[in-house]
Amino acid sequence: MKKIHIKTWGCQMNEYDSSIIFHVLQKKLKYIATKNAEKSDLIILNTCSIREKAQEKLFDQLGRWKKLKHINKKLIIAVGGCVAAQEKKNIYKRAPYVDIIFGPKTIHRLPKIIKKIYKKRKKIINIQSNSLKKYKFYKHHSLKKISEYISIMEGCNKCCSFCIVPHTRGKEISRNPEEILSEANFLANNGTKEIILLGQNVNSYKGKSINKSILKLSNLIKLISKIDQIKRIRFITSNPMEFTDDLIKIYKKVPKLVSYLHLPVQSGSNRILKKMRRAYNISIYKKIIQKLILYRPNIQITSDFIIGFPGETREDFQKTLKLIDEIKFDMSFSFIYSKRPGTPAARLLDSVSLQEKKERLYFLQKKIQKNTKFWSKKMIGTRQKVLVEKFIYKNNIKKLFGKTQNNRTVLFKGSKKLIGKIINVKIKNAHMQTLKGEL
């Protein structure tokens, strides 16, 4: 049996894709997984192009694997994911020892591609596909995880000026709901208690059912909530322009939907949002949050922020800080703007110094951390419903690990029989994002 080593960079979508890659190659070509690249017959690097210098990171890794080719002449090296879709032939120019370049939507073709490589030892690029055939190989096997991801769509139509995803992942295509429900039921029957729905722009989901009706994300959440074994539902990542009233109201109708939402705003300045081609303003964003709080008063909101976008003035940045104070965001993913080749924003004049960007990022992150501490400390003394996921070792002490409705990690003592159950835990202490509790 041949061995495969898969290295994954980037978002949960890439993690999910890597699980499909392994499953299809295990099923079709009998590969077995190894964590040791040196002992592999096939090495796959599943890449991400969101951040700056993604290409350099790719070639650094490939350079470390190059010597393995001298040891094992039959070794196959493949590059997939968003950088592969973006760079294509340029990868061969700098790393001619790479055998296969494939895209996020051509995973299902890998078995045939690998067979061709063994027969002819010819380099293959296979990037283009307008279908979702890769999901035909979604994992009807389980590691019996309490919390599992299900990808419900691929691509994005929003074309934000800073983002390369529409180029690398293509236009939005939604999986049909029957296929998603089949996967959800399978996972539920194998011990999964929480489903996390994935998509580049997950709330724009529009899946065509067998009876030709179109289901939105709110409809899909309702259907999944009817699976008895599933106790919690989450979804990531959303765009404010697609956060429609039917999705907001679902927070009242479906108790299984957690009291936590990650809703990227990117900036608190309408001027910068326009330059980013984010088709909403701050007033629209705040109205969404206000409506959500009406239906779910205890909901926690997290967000994304891009700092130092071309043309961002100190006044623009102050508006972002003001929004953070108003919404009191719980946590955030915040980064200095990264110029992505081929995006409209890459052509904009960037007059903000790197030092200024670093100072703004530091100030923003300190403010968010203060909010995180505030919300965590507020939970001390409360009783929280915790979904218990596993045992972990903390300071050489074995403790149960679980999540609250608002996505806080809780550590506490208890028995193995509690894993997979939702139990009441009293919060005794709080450290930023981690809480300590007792039954």
Side-chain angles (χ1 to χ4, degrees), residues 98-109:
V98 170
D99 301 285
I100 300 166
I101 298 170
F102 65 97
K105 291 181 182 176
T106 57
I107 288 169
H108 58 286
R109 297 174 185 162

Side-chain angles (χ1 to χ4, degrees), residues 163-205:
C163 187
I164 198 71
V165 166
H167 175 66
T168 58
R169 290 261 179 183
K171 292 184 177 180
E172 290 173 359
I173 311 176
S174 296
R175 292 175 71 184
N176 71 62
E178 288 82 9
E179 191 177 278
I180 295 167
L181 288 169
S182 173
E183 185 168 357
N185 274 294
F186 178 83
L187 292 172
N189 290 328
N190 279 271
T192 295
K193 303 298 179 185
E194 178 183 65
I195 295 291
I196 305 172
L197 304 175
L198 293 179
Q200 267 82 33
N201 183 17
V202 70
N203 53 332
S204 68
Y205 173 82

Side-chain angles (χ1 to χ4, degrees), residues 64-80:
R64 289 192 287 273
W65 285 343
K66 180 181 179 181
K67 60 184 179 182
L68 300 180
K69 278 269 193 175
H70 299 299
I71 300 168
N72 180 6
K73 300 294 184 184
K74 292 183 178 180
L75 174 66
I76 294 175
I77 297 178
V79 178

